[in-house]
């Protein structure tokens, strides 16, 4: 336990050295991003990519459908599909900010390792596309070695891929091994749901029926509904709605588009329905929500 806590302290120190202000910080290591927040943040929707998130300091919560995932120091989250979720930092101060490491998964590297690493001798994990787990000493050690490379840029091209492979190995050989293999699987219901998620991601502005989506991925509507909810904790139409609302929010915030135009652009036929669903999802009317974000952008740091 002492060793684990010491490693976690070193991970937090390494992240703090390379992130000087709140927000996301890209690094010279491909697919590695560091995050810092010196304050708690408001619940902020985002589409989470297939990735690892390791929290080193502070606490955060992520809501996916009707599921809430809580991160504390030393816990990591795995996302296996592009999933719309709502995250926010719930514990952070200027003296002890929230600090975390993101590693986007390389499907080629992961697929190669999945063929060489035997599945763990455990019952298959549920198909839910997100989970949070306590990190073991091996995973924390590998994460620390990866972060130390930021202090030795010349070694990154040679040692970076090795450290990344070790992290993926620890995940494949650990309690999330079966779930990690879903990313590389091309067969079965879980793979079909992955294709459904990708299809909705490309076509969420258009109206579609369950029958059409089921045909696109080769499933019956009832089987699609059951498996989709098991993976995403929401129905396909709820999934589409979240993507539409997040897209509209981005259009209004970044491109300064008015509420009605944003509603029509993302596929709503009624601006009043859009405003009602926006308020339920974000907790305020579109105009007030956007004004609040512009006045206090630090509150919208995506955890």
């Amino acid at each position: 336990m002492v060793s684990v806590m010491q490693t976690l302290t070193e991970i937090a120190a390494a992240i703090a050295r390379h992130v000087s202000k709140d927000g996301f910080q890209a690094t010279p290591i491909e697919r590695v991003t560091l995050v810092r927040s010196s304050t708690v943040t408001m619940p902020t929707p985002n589409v989470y990519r297939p990735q690892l998130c390791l929290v080193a300091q502070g606490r955060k919560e992520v809501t996916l459908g009707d599921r809430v995932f809580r991160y504390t120091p030393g816990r990591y989250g795995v996302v296996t599909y592009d999933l719309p979720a709502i995250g926010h930092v719930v514990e952070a101060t200027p003296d002890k900010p929230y600090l975390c490491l993101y590693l986007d998964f390389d499907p080629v590297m992961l697929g190669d390792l999945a063929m060489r690493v035997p599945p763990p001798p455990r019952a298959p994990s549920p198909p839910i596309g997100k989970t949070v787990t306590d990190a073991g000493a091996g995973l924390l050690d590998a994460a620390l070695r990866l972060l130390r490379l930021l202090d030795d840029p010349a070694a990154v091209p040679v040692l970076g891929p090795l450290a990344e492979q070790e992290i993926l190995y620890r995940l494949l050989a650990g309690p999330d091994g079966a779930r990690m293999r879903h990313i590389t699987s091309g067969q079965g219901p879980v793979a079909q749901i992955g294709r459904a998620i990708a299809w909705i991601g490309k076509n969420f502005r258009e109206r579609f029926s369950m029958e059409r989506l089921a045909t696109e991925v080769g499933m019956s509507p009832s089987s699609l509904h059951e498996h989709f909810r098991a993976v995403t904790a929401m129905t396909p139409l709820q999934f589409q709605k979240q993507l539409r609302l997040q897209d509209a929010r981005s259009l209004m915030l970044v491109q300064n588009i008015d509420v009605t135009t944003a509603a029509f652009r993302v596929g709503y036929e009624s601006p009043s329905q859009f405003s009602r669903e926006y308020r339920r999802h974000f907790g305020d009317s579109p105009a007030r929500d956007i004004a609040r974000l512009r006045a206090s952008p630090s509150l919208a740091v995506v955890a």
Side-chain angles (χ1 to χ4, degrees):
M1 178 63 70
V2 173
S3 176
V4 167
M5 293 305 297
Q6 180 178 347
T7 303
L8 195 57
T9 298
E10 292 184 53
I11 289 174
I15 295 174
R17 282 200 305 274
H18 295 278
V19 185
S20 59
K21 60 183 180 179
D22 288 357
F24 281 70
Q25 177 65 56
T27 73
I29 304 174
E30 189 178 7
R31 292 181 291 278
V32 172
T33 303
L34 306 180
V35 183
R36 177 185 188 274
S37 179
S38 59
T39 66
V40 298
T41 64
M42 63 189 296
T44 303
N46 188 39
V47 176
Y48 290 79
R49 301 186 302 272
Q51 59 191 188
L52 162 78
C53 172
L54 173 64
V55 171
Q57 189 168 276
R59 298 171 186 265
K60 78 169 180 178
E61 292 183 356
V62 174
T63 301
L64 175 66
D66 57 3
R67 301 279 298 273
V68 179
F69 300 88
R70 294 179 174 86
Y71 291 74
T72 57
R75 303 199 85 199
Y76 71 91
V78 163
V79 178
T80 54
Y81 302 97
D82 291 346
L83 296 175
I86 299 174
H88 64 129
V89 176
V90 296
E91 182 180 294
T93 66
D95 293 334
K96 198 171 184 179
Y98 165 81
L99 300 169
C100 86
L101 158 72
Y102 276 111
L103 172 65
D104 292 339
F105 295 139
D106 179 346
V108 176
M109 184 184 295
L110 183 59
D112 177 64
L113 282 172
M115 290 190 293
R116 294 187 283 136
V117 178
R122 300 180 179 88
S125 61
I128 184 75
K130 177 172 178 56
T131 186
V132 175
T133 311
D134 292 326
L139 178 60
L140 292 176
D141 287 341
L144 180 57
R145 278 192 288 278
L146 182 68
L147 288 168
R148 282 174 174 163
L149 293 176
L150 295 175
D151 297 316
D152 188 8
V156 167
V158 176
L159 299 182
L162 299 179
E164 184 177 351
Q165 285 186 52
E166 183 179 355
I167 289 174
L168 296 180
Y169 166 79
R170 298 292 180 185
L171 294 174
L172 285 166
D176 290 308
R179 183 175 285 104
M180 292 291 294
R181 283 172 166 76
H182 292 160
I183 300 175
T184 62
S185 174
Q187 314 231 340
V190 174
Q192 289 172 302
I193 295 306
R195 292 194 285 275
I197 289 171
W199 190 91
I200 296 174
K202 293 178 181 178
N203 299 280
F204 67 87
R205 292 185 175 186
E206 308 299 325
R207 294 182 65 182
F208 66 86
S209 65
M210 285 290 293
E211 288 74 17
R212 180 185 177 187
L213 180 59
T215 300
E216 291 285 343
V217 300
M219 303 179 77
S220 69
S222 61
S223 180
L224 170 64
H225 188 278
E226 176 187 354
H227 287 94
F228 195 97
R229 189 169 182 82
V231 169
T232 67
M234 65 189 87
T235 68
L237 294 180
Q238 289 171 333
F239 190 97
Q240 178 198 34
K241 182 188 296 184
Q242 289 207 21
L243 293 180
R244 281 182 168 183
L245 292 171
Q246 291 187 28
D247 189 33
R249 193 189 211 194
S250 178
L251 289 173
M252 291 184 289
L253 184 62
V254 178
Q255 299 185 26
N256 202 29
I257 291 176
D258 65 86
V259 174
T260 300
T261 301
F264 286 138
R265 187 168 296 185
V266 301
Y268 278 88
E269 297 177 356
S270 166
S272 60
Q273 180 189 3
F274 167 74
S275 294
R276 286 195 302 271
E277 294 187 353
Y278 192 101
R279 181 189 293 273
R280 281 197 295 267
H281 191 59
F282 294 110
D284 210 339
S285 69
R288 283 196 292 266
D289 178 57
I290 296 302
R292 178 176 53 178
L293 290 176
R294 287 178 176 151
S296 303
S298 64
L299 292 176
V301 171
V302 178

